[in-house]
Amino acid sequence: MTETVAKGDAVAGGEAPDPGLFGPESVTWQLHADPIMWVAGVRALYLQALHPRAVRGVVQNSEFRKDPWGRLFRTADFVGISTYGSRAEAERIGKRVRRIHSHLTAVDPETGERYRVDETALLRWIHCAAIVSYADVARRAGFPLTDGQLDRYFAEQRSAAALVGLGPREVPDNGAAMRAYFEDVRPALGRSEESDEVWEFLRRPPVHPVLWPARELLWRRIADLAYGALPSWAHAMYGHRPLPPFAVTAGVRGLRTTMSAVLPVVRTVYESPHIKAAVERLGPDVMPSPARLPRDPAAAE
């Protein structure tokens, strides 16, 4: 049986508890627990689908059509374990992901080219599209992330990139480098048959008929906000009109405020298993919170 220990206390054998890849003093630890991450995660899927080679690899190698929810939950599980799990747990799931990817290929229907889905360029796109979406939506929703903290977040995320097989020099590690990357990759992006499939799924995910009203009232709102939070060039590629920018900002801010207010109540009934395990491993004072964000010296000047 594993004992719950206070932060910094020694465990049996004299070893300190394992903080994992990032630890409770990181930007990642606080950001990834924010309730607006649900919207940010959907925004990431919209954005990732605009890389034809990357989205083709997903659609051709998964049960996306038969089990679309499975991919969403597996992605959430990867983020949860890599953020809050022990280093051994993070490395274990990373090894599993790399092993699966190493056996997968996709075919370009126009040229007949077969290529590996773990090409560096594709892994880098999936990684960057995800973390930019997390940060952009959170900031727009009112999460107090300074430019300095954003740079630190991108730098921290090199550890997550390593889990899928990317080297530290293969991913942007600050805001300026990330902006330059997106400028460079834009010519490779565009609408495709597969991106249309993703767009349609995210608008109307398959659910039991009894849940159709909830899907239209609740999920559609999340999908609209996530799509609206994309950059304007992404909207142009998809060809669908988004909500007005002011409506997106007001919507994500209002949703985050509401979700944050009910979060303490929700946690009495259900807590993220990854955060719960981290608190049990490290102690109750490591509960993620924006108030725990590491200080940005530049912002304090």
Side-chain angles (χ1 to χ4, degrees):
M1 180 180 297
T2 302
E3 278 189 52
T4 300
V5 294
K7 178 183 170 187
D9 286 351
V11 296
E15 296 181 0
D18 181 358
L21 294 183
F22 306 105
E25 306 305 322
S26 65
V27 175
T28 297
W29 191 276
Q30 323 314 327
L31 177 61
H32 286 184
D34 198 85
I36 204 62
M37 282 286 285
W38 283 103
V39 178
V42 177
R43 196 259 208 188
L45 296 176
Y46 278 123
L47 188 56
Q48 289 169 341
L50 285 175
H51 196 305
R53 287 171 70 87
V55 71
R56 192 179 298 129
V58 171
V59 172
Q60 291 184 13
N61 287 286
S62 69
E63 295 294 313
F64 178 77
R65 297 177 182 88
K66 296 180 181 178
D67 181 29
W69 287 107
R71 176 172 175 78
L72 292 178
F73 290 128
R74 285 190 294 274
T75 300
D77 199 47
F78 176 84
V79 173
I81 292 174
S82 62
T83 302
Y84 301 108
S86 67
R87 181 171 292 273
E89 290 170 331
E91 291 176 349
R92 188 157 51 243
I93 196 172
K95 182 178 181 181
R96 180 175 180 272
V97 168
R98 294 194 303 273
R99 183 177 67 249
I100 292 172
H101 286 173
S102 70
H103 297 296
L104 301 180
T105 60
V107 177
D108 186 325
E110 294 184 1
T111 66
E113 175 199 6
R114 180 174 293 277
Y115 57 91
R116 293 171 60 103
V117 303
D118 61 355
E119 289 179 351
T120 296
L122 303 186
L123 295 177
R124 178 165 51 238
W125 167 250
I126 295 298
H127 169 79
C128 291
I131 64 173
V132 161
S133 292
Y134 301 159
D136 283 358
V137 172
R139 295 182 97 184
R140 192 165 185 172
F143 189 88
L145 197 64
T146 67
D147 289 345
Q149 290 165 339
L150 179 64
D151 285 345
R152 177 165 173 169
Y153 173 63
F154 289 152
E156 289 172 359
Q157 284 301 301
R158 288 178 297 180
S159 295
L163 294 180
V164 299
L166 289 166
R169 296 182 179 274
E170 293 176 323
V171 291
D173 63 353
N174 59 67
M178 188 67 76
R179 289 189 293 273
Y181 165 73
F182 271 87
E183 286 297 319
D184 290 342
V185 80
R186 283 265 293 278
L189 308 181
R191 183 177 178 179
S192 64
E193 181 178 331
E194 290 84 1
S195 70
D196 284 348
E197 284 191 57
V198 172
W199 189 85
E200 187 62 32
F201 159 70
L202 292 175
R203 297 278 293 175
R204 296 181 181 85
V207 295
H208 190 280
V210 74
L211 296 177
W212 285 351
R215 180 183 66 183
E216 295 306 306
L217 290 173
L218 301 177
W219 179 264
R220 178 65 68 84
R221 180 63 173 167
I222 291 176
D224 284 344
L225 291 173
Y227 179 72
L230 289 169
S232 58
W233 54 260
H235 296 145
M237 289 181 181
Y238 268 112
H240 302 290
R241 181 179 297 178
L243 294 170
F246 74 86
V248 175
T249 300
V252 294
R253 284 181 176 269
L255 184 60
R256 180 173 182 265
T257 297
T258 300
M259 295 172 73
S260 297
V262 303
L263 190 59
V265 178
V266 172
R267 280 178 168 166
T268 63
V269 180
Y270 174 80
E271 177 62 275
S272 159
H274 308 301
I275 294 177
K276 182 179 179 181
V279 171
E280 290 176 347
R281 187 174 76 250
L282 301 173
D285 60 338
V286 304
M287 181 65 71
S289 167
R292 290 183 56 88
L293 281 167
R295 180 177 175 273
D296 178 1
E301 294 177 357

